Structures are given as structure tokens and as C-alpha cells.
Amino acid sequence: MGKTIFEKIWESHVVSTIEGGPSVLYIDRHFIHEVTSPQAFNGLRQRGRPVRRPSQVVATADHNVPTLGQHLPIREELSRRQVEMLVSNSQEFGIDLYGLGHPYQGIVHVIGPELGVTRPGMTIVCGDSHTSTHGAFGSIAFGIGTSEVEMVLATQCLLQTRPRLMRIRVEGSLANGVLAKDVILHIIAVLGAGGATGYFVEYAGSAIRGLSMEGRMTVCNMSIEMGARGGLIAPDETTFAYMKGRPFAPSGEAWDISLAYWQNLSTDPDAHFDQELLIDAASIEPMVTYGTNPGMGTGVTRSIPSLSEIPETEKNHFSKALQYMGLQAGQPLKGQAVDYVFIGSCTNSRIEDLRLVAAFVKGKRKADNVEVWVVPGSKQVEKAAREEGIDAIFEQAGFQLRQPGCSACLGMNEDKIPAGKYCLSTSNRNFEGRQGPNARTLLASPLTAALAAVTGRIDDARDYL
Amino acid sequence: MRKIRSTAVPIPIENIDTDQIIPARFLKATSREGFGKNLFRDWRYEEDDEARPRIGFPLNDPACKGSILVAGKNFGCGSSREHAAWAIKDYGFQAVVSSFFADIFRNNALNNFLLPVQVSDAFLKHIFSTLEKNPAAELSIDLDAQTLTMAAEGRSEPFDINPYKKTCLINGYDDIDYLLSILPEISAFESKRPIFLQ
Ligand code: SF4
């Protein structure tokens, strides 16, 4: 029987397998950031261990950094301490750090791909659940906890049990105005917040192949929101074209050797998946979430389900979510007013996202009652946006272009949405309190967000194209 | 941790995510200790005010105590933040019972010697209703036998645990100890890595 890409990569990285237990999996790339690494470095110190392969580790500061005045010392003491510890730990253990002020700094899942550190066929981990983003290049990439960060630092390996495999095929073409974000929100709405727990997903089908690398990253990024360990997409010409010439991508002979390997990295026609799902691309609408997990979303022209449509066991959860959100069962989504628009996060803060938003808002102005924050995913994205004049378009529209970081995606820094306010957000989580205590998050695509910024409410972008 | 017998704290809510277990703003600490006081922070206090515990939330209910947390399906979904496991452990829990755990949370819990006990939906429902009637009911977890038992009535259900992880828990080993013990094997593997993975 043939093999899936996942199996091919996995098998080539297994050092050994404990009988009846997990496998020892070799890790090619390890990204670290300030929030989930300090305790791991403390552990290394306690054990008197070095970092085994510092050249395979890349560090950046993202979760906890301010997005205004990054050249100034961080005001909040605990945040500052965390960022300083990342600097001193990186120095002590010989790790390359793209920290504040560095031209490569940015959200860890944005910089890995854009610098060419992320490559097909690799195993990639980071102490962050959205590490699944890197799967867009045809790699096994997944989030780990801090104890596991310490394991990888100390040994370059992890103990892992092989997940089951699911393939999700999206066939056909997407309607104009329907983006990669809508595809993944649709899939999560179909499967539910825990629907892929225990699985690793391969996304396939013509609609997936038709996506840009940025779009593929958006899809893979949210795999975790349905519980999946990760998600990947077979590398192809789109992947190779994106990678060519990136700062750390292979070059010369190394490029040719790598390319030959990457071109063969695909799932065999007779490979087996434990579960398969087929989705018709044409059935996908622009999506918006109304609840407090990313599976609680629906098409923008629809209404929030009524209580009678909800299965008995989920009624409590559903009612609690709507109460938190201040929304009514059965209420149409279109027309719901928003107070904030956040365009950013590792899901949608790449240059393509900013270009799309800029193209839409050019010559328009934000609604008076809406505050709009655009937070680029990295210094590179910010630089490109300025070079392309996107900053001027945003300024005229009344949007605030900030400096790179996770920002209001998780509200760890000062970028919090006030209690009770609605934020239309291009990020990946609408959990209670995610963007600040009692903040109300509605997840959507950058296009739906741009439109909401202009009209002040949720609307169907297809009507404006 | 081979045997845990205790009363339990029930939180009958599904899909409890790591942002509820420990909100992001408390992730700024650089040690593993002290997270327990912010466990379920935003459900536990009115408007973030420690002087105003939210009435009705189980952690604030003097009748609910013990070293076992019982929670609804898909517990620990969301982020990889190990702070969630640290907070539960630091608060004083030794085991979490649910009918489903998110993958990363389960790993993080095990790596911190916090035992995730997965039972059937029906048994979980039974535990919740028993605890609702009698908050003093005791649960007993036997790691060797891999069973969870309602102590008074004797109703019991087996649970799964990876045999390797079970050995680790019983003997107090962790994965790093194991991986460090096979470093020569890892080096041998590493020396054969192809150029396209370097
Ligand atoms: S942008 Fe949000 S989801 Fe992405 S790494 Fe940062 S905090 Fe996590």
C-alpha cells in the first residue's frame, strides 16, 4: 500500500520506537518565543545541559511585545522581564534571536516561512499551538508544551505517538470574495471544535491547490481549532516559487538537491487515511463566528442557529456562548455592529492580507464609531507595506498601522479589546476573554474585516466587489 | 500518585479552553510556580476582583473541594500553554477527569505528573449527577489497575493510559531522562541526515 506525505516524513524522522509506547522523533527546526521558553531554559540549567543543536533553533519576541514605540523600553515590568530573559537565554545558549529591533523580528509563524527557515519534508515544532501553520509547506509541524520545548532543546528529539490521519479535500472553485480564511472557518464549522482531535490533517483538492502560500498558511494555521495535531499541504510549484531566494532557503546545488526531494513529496494514490472529508468549494460563503469557539461560525448571509437546531448535549454551551457574546439565537449576522476591527495575527497578517485590505479600502474611510488596528506579522511585512504605499492608504482610511507582534490576538500586551465591545478579528480564536476580559470576538477573513471597518457592521463582501 | 482517593470539584462545562484555565495575561511569569491562584480567573472572580468571588463557581463553593477536577468533554482545547497544566497542579489537583482531552493538554498534564483520566460520556454524566446530589462523594483512582471508582457505590470504569507513560508516572521518570539516556543513538541518526533537512 502506498504512503501519505505524513507517513513518509514521519518514518524518515523516527530514531527509534519504545515497545507499546511512543516513538522518538527527530526535530529539524525548533522555533521559540518569550512566553513558553523561560521555564525550559531554567530546566536546562538545573540539569546542567547545553542546547544540543543551537543552529536548528530560531528565537523571536512576539507574544508579549508592544506594537507602538518598540524602540522604547517595554513599560510593563513582567513583559519586559520575559523579553529580556529571551535575550539572555539566547545569548547564553548560542541561539539566533530575531528580537525587538531586528529586521527579521515578527510573529514566529510568519517569520519562519518568510525567511525560508521552514521547508518541505521537515519536522518543525514550537511552544505554540499554531505551529501547524508551517504545514503549508508540506512539513510535519505542531505545537508543544514547555516541558517538550526543554526536551527538544536538550536532545533535538521528542517522544510522540503517531496521530491518526485525515484528509480533507476541497474541490471546485471558490466564489469571488471567499478567501482561505473562509475555507478553514467553514471546515471547522463542519467538524466542530473537537472534531479532528487525535488526527493530523492533509488538505487537498483543487481549491486548496489554487491557494497562494499565504492562503495555505491561513488554512493550516487553524487546524488546531478543530483539535487536530496539525495540518499539511503537499508542496508544489507554488511552494517552490515562494521559497526561492528567501534569506535562509537553500541555494545553488543545495537548492537543486532539495528541490528534487520536494518534488517527490506527495501522497501516493493508494495511501490510506483513517478519515476522509470532501467539501464543495462552491458551497463556501464568507464566514463569521458568533460564539466562543471557532467552530461556532456560519455563512455571512445566514442567521445564528435557533436553540431548536442545536443538539441536546450542546444546548448549554450554545446558550452560555450567546449570552457571553450578547447575541440572540436566530439573529441574522449581517448588520451586526462592531466597535473594533483587528487585522493581524499569525492567521492573517502577511503582506498578501495587507495588500488585499489596502486594495479594498483605498479611497474609503473607516466608519466613525470603529477603531481599526492593523498589526503586520513581521518587520519584513511592515517594510514591504511601507514600500508599497500601503501605510498611506491605511492612514487616509483612518486605520492604525502598528508594529509587528501577536497584539490583540491574545491581548497579552496593551492591545486589549474593552469589556463588552465587539471586535471583528482576522485572528484564530474567539474564546471568552481571549482579546481582553469580556471582549467579544467575531472571527472572519481580512476582506470581511476591511468591509466592517468601512461600514461599521458585518456585511457580505461579495456585494461590494 | 498510584492511588488517589478524594472528593472532587465538578465543572460541568464542555470545551473548556486553555484561555479559561489560565488567561493569557497571567503568562508573564518565568517560573512554573504560582499559577494556581489565577486558575479559572475570569470565571472565578467578578470583574477580575479577588475580593469578589463569583457565587456559584465551583472553586468558590466551600462544599466542593478535593484533589480531583471533573470537567466536561474536550477539556484543555486551544493553546499549547503548559501554564494550564501548571495552574491546575499548583492549585492542588492531582488528576483531571473528563470524557475527552485535547491532545497537547494531555501531554502537558502527563509531563507534569497530573493524571488525565478519560471516561465514557455516560460515566462522566453519572459522576456529575452524583456530585450534584452529594458534593462529599469520593472518587478513587487506581493507576496500577487503571480504574476510576465512585467510592461509595463501587461503580467503576477502566481508563486508558499509554504503558510507557504509566511507567514514567509510577517511577517519577520524565521524557527528558529517557531521551538523554539514548543520546548516542540520536547522534548516530543525526549523522545520516540528508542535506535537504539540514
Ligand atoms: S498571533 Fe495569536 S495565535 Fe498566532 S502565535 Fe501569536 S498569540 Fe498565537
Side-chain angles (χ1 to χ4, degrees):
Chain A
M1 194 166 55
K3 288 185 174 155
T4 63
I5 302 177
F6 180 92
E7 288 167 313
K8 292 176 190 180
I9 303 175
W10 179 274
E11 286 167 13
S12 66
H13 285 80
V14 170
V15 176
S16 62
T17 299
I18 301 175
E19 217 181 295
S23 293
V24 177
L25 193 69
Y26 190 83
I27 303 300
D28 296 315
R29 291 284 184 273
H30 184 193
F31 295 100
I32 60 171
H33 61 83
E34 75 278 21
V35 175
T36 58
S37 68
Q39 293 87 352
F41 285 109
N42 289 344
L44 284 187
R45 271 188 288 267
Q46 275 160 20
R47 289 174 200 260
R49 304 296 313 185
V51 169
R52 189 172 143 76
R53 293 287 173 247
S55 64
Q56 287 168 236
V57 188
V58 170
T60 191
D62 56 2
H63 279 65
N64 211 345
V65 300
T67 55
L68 294 173
Q70 282 185 351
H71 60 290
L72 301 168
I74 300 176
R75 259 180 296 164
E76 219 263 332
E77 195 202 321
L78 290 175
S79 302
R80 190 175 65 242
R81 265 232 310 270
Q82 244 182 8
V83 173
E84 284 169 357
M85 277 192 96
L86 184 70
V87 176
S88 59
N89 284 328
S90 298
Q91 273 166 357
E92 183 182 336
F93 289 91
I95 293 167
D96 282 339
L97 166 66
Y98 306 130
L100 279 184
H102 194 285
Y104 290 165
Q105 180 265 339
I107 304 175
V108 59
H109 312 308
V110 174
I111 69 165
E114 82 182 359
L115 295 175
V117 177
T118 299
R119 299 185 206 162
M122 288 187 155
T123 49
I124 301 173
V125 297
C126 172
D128 186 281
S129 52
H130 294 95
T131 309
S132 57
T133 313
H134 307 260
F137 290 78
S139 59
I140 296 185
F142 55 92
I144 56 177
T146 297
S147 296
E148 294 171 312
V149 170
E150 187 182 337
M151 267 171 237
V152 180
L153 290 174
T155 70
Q156 207 55 38
C157 287
L158 269 181
L159 283 167
Q160 288 289 307
T161 311
R162 214 204 79 170
R164 283 173 292 173
L165 301 178
M166 182 189 300
R167 176 163 56 189
I168 300 177
R169 281 163 49 219
V170 188
E171 298 285 1
S173 35
L174 298 170
N176 194 18
V178 175
L179 309 187
K181 181 64 163 287
D182 301 307
V183 174
I184 188 65
L185 283 173
H186 178 94
I187 293 173
I188 301 167
V190 170
L191 282 170
T197 302
Y199 287 91
F200 200 100
V201 177
E202 178 173 344
Y203 302 96
S206 54
I208 298 290
R209 279 199 305 279
L211 295 174
S212 65
M213 282 320 290
E214 283 86 350
R216 295 178 189 188
M217 285 188 252
T218 300
V219 169
C220 290
N221 173 274
M222 292 191 71
S223 305
I224 183 77
E225 307 308 338
M226 47 191 181
R229 204 72 181 85
L232 63 74
I233 294 170
D236 59 11
E237 292 308 320
T238 306
T239 322
F240 313 141
Y242 177 97
M243 293 190 62
K244 185 124 201 171
R246 301 261 158 196
F248 296 102
S251 58
E253 199 194 344
W255 171 267
D256 297 335
I257 297 172
S258 302
L259 186 64
Y261 169 68
W262 299 339
Q263 281 167 334
N264 276 317
L265 205 54
S266 60
T267 288
D268 298 329
D270 55 342
H272 170 78
F273 288 89
D274 302 288
Q275 200 178 326
E276 298 241 26
L277 180 68
L278 177 64
I279 287 181
D280 173 14
S283 71
I284 305 175
E285 279 193 70
M287 296 285 295
V288 181
T289 66
Y290 53 80
T292 54
N293 72 53
M296 302 175 82
T298 188
V300 67
T301 59
R302 298 173 191 237
S303 299
I304 297 173
S306 58
L307 198 58
S308 58
E309 294 168 68
I310 302 294
E312 206 50 48
T313 53
E314 284 162 36
K315 282 200 159 98
N316 273 346
H317 181 76
F318 176 79
S319 304
K320 184 171 178 287
L322 287 194
Q323 193 187 7
Y324 178 87
M325 292 297 293
L327 299 172
Q328 306 299 322
Q331 167 192 338
L333 280 169
K334 232 169 117 171
Q336 169 65 40
V338 303
D339 308 294
Y340 284 76
V341 171
F342 171 62
I343 296 166
S345 90
C346 57
T347 317
N348 284 117
S349 64
R350 298 181 185 83
I351 188 65
E352 185 185 81
D353 300 310
L354 269 53
R355 280 186 194 134
L356 181 126
V357 171
F360 183 81
V361 302
K362 191 169 183 178
K364 302 188 181 80
R365 193 66 217 152
K366 75 170 185 71
D368 286 341
N369 55 336
V370 179
E371 179 114 18
V372 187
W373 297 340
V374 184
V375 181
S378 69
K379 285 307 254 191
Q380 298 282 304
V381 172
E382 184 188 1
K383 182 163 159 259
R386 292 192 191 281
E387 282 166 4
E388 294 174 25
I390 288 175
D391 55 336
I393 296 174
F394 286 162
E395 200 181 318
Q396 277 158 16
F399 291 16
Q400 253 193 61
L401 179 63
R402 296 190 164 209
Q403 292 169 302
C406 294
S407 180
C409 172
L410 89 166
M412 240 188 119
N413 67 354
E414 287 131 8
D415 306 349
K416 293 184 180 57
I417 307 302
K421 297 291 183 195
Y422 289 96
C423 177
L424 194 89
S425 177
T426 66
S427 57
N428 45 48
R429 286 194 173 140
N430 50 359
F431 296 157
E432 284 185 31
R434 172 81 177 177
Q435 298 194 291
N438 288 311
R440 293 162 163 169
T441 306
L442 307 149
L443 302 175
S445 80
L447 187 58
T448 304
L451 177 58
V454 171
T455 63
R457 56 194 152 74
I458 295 176
D459 213 335
D460 187 345
R462 291 172 299 183
D463 297 342
Y464 292 78
L465 294 174
Chain B
M1 78 168 322
R2 300 174 93 131
K3 285 199 169 48
I4 304 167
R5 185 181 167 127
S6 165
T7 50
V9 178
I11 307 186
I13 298 174
E14 294 188 354
N15 298 313
I16 296 181
D17 59 73
T18 46
D19 277 79
Q20 307 322 315
I21 299 171
I22 182 88
R25 58 190 191 281
F26 301 110
L27 307 187
K28 300 184 183 194
T30 48
S31 74
R32 290 175 191 241
E33 290 79 41
F35 289 99
K37 68 176 197 303
N38 296 317
L39 175 67
F40 293 116
R41 175 83 189 197
D42 290 339
W43 284 350
R44 203 162 142 193
Y45 301 112
E46 299 289 350
E47 286 164 39
D48 210 9
D49 182 355
E50 275 170 51
R52 291 165 58 208
R54 181 168 295 169
I55 296 162
F57 187 65
L59 291 194
N60 299 327
D61 182 347
C64 300
K65 49 183 181 295
S67 57
I68 301 172
L69 176 66
V70 187
K73 194 174 184 156
N74 198 23
F75 184 80
C77 59
S79 112
S80 60
R81 62 179 72 151
E82 195 162 315
H83 312 68
W86 298 337
I88 295 170
K89 184 90 196 205
D90 189 61
Y91 185 86
F93 291 114
Q94 295 180 57
V96 187
V97 177
S98 176
S99 59
F100 205 78
F101 290 95
D103 280 337
I104 311 185
F105 177 82
R106 182 198 297 270
N107 275 346
N108 287 342
L110 287 166
N111 283 334
N112 287 281
F113 300 92
L114 172 71
L115 183 63
V117 177
Q118 185 165 320
V119 297
S120 67
D121 284 321
F123 196 43
L124 185 69
K125 207 168 151 196
H126 174 71
I127 299 171
F128 280 136
S129 69
T130 306
L131 290 175
E132 198 184 321
K133 281 177 247 148
N134 175 19
E138 283 191 324
L139 274 64
S140 131
I141 297 168
D142 184 333
L143 177 57
D144 287 295
Q146 295 181 218
T147 53
L148 172 69
T149 308
M150 297 300 291
E153 45 178 299
R155 182 164 165 183
S156 177
E157 208 180 82
F159 64 86
D160 267 346
I161 180 164
N162 182 299
Y164 162 79
K165 275 293 174 194
K166 182 172 171 180
T167 314
C168 288
L169 289 179
I170 289 176
N171 299 311
Y173 297 153
D174 65 17
D175 288 358
I176 304 188
D177 297 330
Y178 176 78
L179 290 171
L180 288 172
S181 76
I182 61 157
L183 276 185
E185 208 177 326
I186 296 173
S187 295
F189 178 91
E190 215 166 26
S191 65
K192 289 187 278 197
R193 284 172 80 223
I195 177 170
F196 45 81
L197 295 177
Q198 288 176 25

